[in-house]
Amino acid sequence: MSTTSLAAPARTGEPLRRLLALDAVMTGANALAYLALSGPLGRFLGIGSGLLLGLGAFLAGYAAGVGLLAARPHPPATGVRLVVEANLAWTAASLLALALWLSPTTAGAVWTVLQALAVAGLTLMQHRALKARQSSQV
């Protein structure tokens, strides 16, 4: 039986796989925090614990999917593009929710903006790594 871990991309040296693995780990950590600490985090961030639980469940599934993609020796471009597009949607939705819907504490507003910027930055790096891989395959 063969097993593949998220540590494998770090050994390959392929930037795209490392970025996908980083995405999976960071998203998974957020998911676990939201699921395990939705009450205290909700009070600290000024965001409902039910919303955090829902986000945690969604992020856990998303992290698993990105992790599976990162574990592939050559992640398919279509899958990577879906991750890039989903991350862009997450960034936009986070900022829109903050502007139009959420009424978080100062810590919650700062957290929302910082995580949106982090996701956007990671997305840009994933997009560039995909383009670089496609250029080298031509």
Side-chain angles (χ1 to χ4, degrees):
M1 175 186 270
S2 171
T3 60
T4 306
S5 75
L6 288 179
R11 293 190 297 269
T12 67
E14 184 184 347
L16 182 56
R17 290 183 67 209
R18 286 195 316 263
L19 291 167
L20 290 168
L22 176 62
D23 192 344
V25 169
M26 298 289 293
T27 302
N30 277 329
L32 290 176
Y34 292 170
L35 289 169
L37 302 169
S38 63
L41 276 176
R43 287 187 295 278
F44 178 69
L45 299 173
I47 298 172
S49 62
L51 176 59
L52 288 180
L53 279 172
L55 289 173
F58 170 78
L59 291 175
Y62 182 77
V66 175
L68 289 173
L69 192 61
R72 296 187 65 172
H74 301 285
T78 301
V80 176
R81 278 193 294 275
L82 286 173
V83 168
V84 166
E85 290 170 7
N87 284 345
L88 288 174
W90 177 270
T91 299
S94 296
L95 296 175
L96 284 171
L98 183 60
L100 302 174
W101 177 49
L102 295 176
S103 299
T105 62
T106 301
V110 169
W111 171 251
T112 302
V113 171
L114 288 178
Q115 64 83 29
L117 291 175
V119 171
L122 182 58
T123 302
L124 178 61
M125 290 187 288
Q126 290 168 337
H127 176 73
R128 286 182 177 170
L130 177 61
K131 291 294 183 192
R133 185 181 80 176
Q134 289 173 331
S135 295
S136 69
Q137 292 175 350
V138 175

